[in-house]
Amino acid sequence: MALRQAWEWERWKAMGQHAFFVTVLALSMPGALAGADMTTGAALSRIGPAVGLALWYAYWIALRGGADRPPLPYLVGALSGWAVMATVDPAFLPVAVAVLSPYWLRRAWWSAGGMLVLGAGWSWQSLTTDGSVDVRALTGCVLGTAVAVTITCYVATLDHESHKRQRLLDELTATQAERAAAERQAGTLAERQRLAREVHDTLTQGFASIAMLLDAARDDLPPDSPAARRVEQAMRTARDNLAESRRLVHALRPAPLDRTHLAEAVRELTARLAEETGTEAYTVVTGRPAALPPSTEGELLRVVQEALTNARRHARAMSVSVTLSYLGDVLAIDIQDDGTGFAPIARHPGVGLTTMRERIAALHGTFAVESAPGEGTTVAVTVPLPVEPSASDPSAVSGTERMAPAS
């Protein structure tokens, strides 16, 4: 609403400025054309420059939108035309008020100085034309100039305050938008925390209890009996689902980012993978780590989590590496494994790959998967970094750093 009102004010102000220019120019014409001895040539010498000035104003101010910020070519051309007109006939002296009207509302000192110059010019014109200046006429000129200076300064002050108020409204709107985004992010994180707690307190605890009961039941059965084998299969399934529910909790609640930055959080993920599976998993950081917005780091961490989960569940890899390369204006992340691989063209993308691609697209980055049967898989991600990188992560070391696989 405030933006619309500001736009309406600017539009009406521009229309008033155009009307003021036309009115002053039109009122100056009768005085310039007055006189019994006015010939056609003399009339054309007055009408021609006036029409040219009007066309010059219409092109630079009305058509090209220079009412708000008048360009320098308009000022040079308009003042030159006014000087010619005032030389031909002093009746065109007041046209300077119209010529400089785009500047009255922007510069109060210009307004005052212009009015004083015009008053002095009118007095000089009267002196040179009549040989003397009437006291009453001079007094009227001084009073008129003072009133004009006061009015233009007052209008310029109002316009300045209007622009100042508009800037404050713009800042308030931007602040409200940032606050709304922060509240949405906080709400999303809170909902993820709630879901993580629910999954942990229900599914995770339930699978853990089932695994314990099946383990106890297996001990009561004869070894190598059909029932014992079925219980063993059920116990493995319960344990697999227990591990999956725990990974889901970690995905919903990226706790590492609550304590540190992206590079250290990724190190913790690869260390956990190495500890839980015995796979050689490590993290490499190159360049000077730059801090990203928390929401961006959270999305990137979830992409790395999903890629590591795929390597853990499907690739049967012996080695997994995550490389974070800070390249000045771009962060490149490569998750590579030496597992079974697959043919990306022949395989329909699953939910995990689709979700990762959507997350990176929302960050205005690029996402690619390179794989071939028997040759492992590489997930390549790039996202833009801030133009002026923040202070480097104190927990990260410049150059190349590698974390050895956990025992």
Side-chain angles (χ1 to χ4, degrees), residues 102-123:
Y103 298 91
W104 296 148
L105 298 180
R106 307 301 172 193
R107 300 289 185 271
W109 288 110
W110 284 42
S111 304
M115 291 300 177
L116 292 175
V117 170
L118 287 177
W122 181 88
S123 301

Side-chain angles (χ1 to χ4, degrees), residues 85-102:
M85 294 168 61
T87 302
V88 172
D89 196 314
F92 284 120
L93 278 173
V95 174
V97 179
V99 168
L100 298 177
S101 60

Side-chain angles (χ1 to χ4, degrees), residues 280-294:
E280 182 186 14
Y282 55 87
T283 298
V284 175
V285 180
T286 64
R288 182 179 181 182
L292 290 166

Side-chain angles (χ1 to χ4, degrees), residues 319-343:
S319 176
V320 180
S321 66
V322 181
T323 303
L324 285 78
S325 303
Y326 292 86
L327 307 176
D329 59 346
V330 171
L331 168 61
I333 303 177
D334 297 316
I335 304 98
Q336 187 175 14
D337 67 68
D338 60 355
T340 56
F342 62 94

Side-chain angles (χ1 to χ4, degrees), residues 10-26 54 57-68 74 98 101-102 105:
E10 291 295 331
R11 185 169 69 89
W12 282 107
K13 186 171 61 177
M15 293 177 61
Q17 179 180 304
H18 302 334
F20 176 76
F21 179 89
V22 173
T23 301
V24 173
L25 188 61
Y57 177 90
Y59 174 74
W60 285 103
I61 304 301
L63 297 181
R64 298 194 57 169
D68 185 53
Y74 160 77
S101 60
L105 298 180

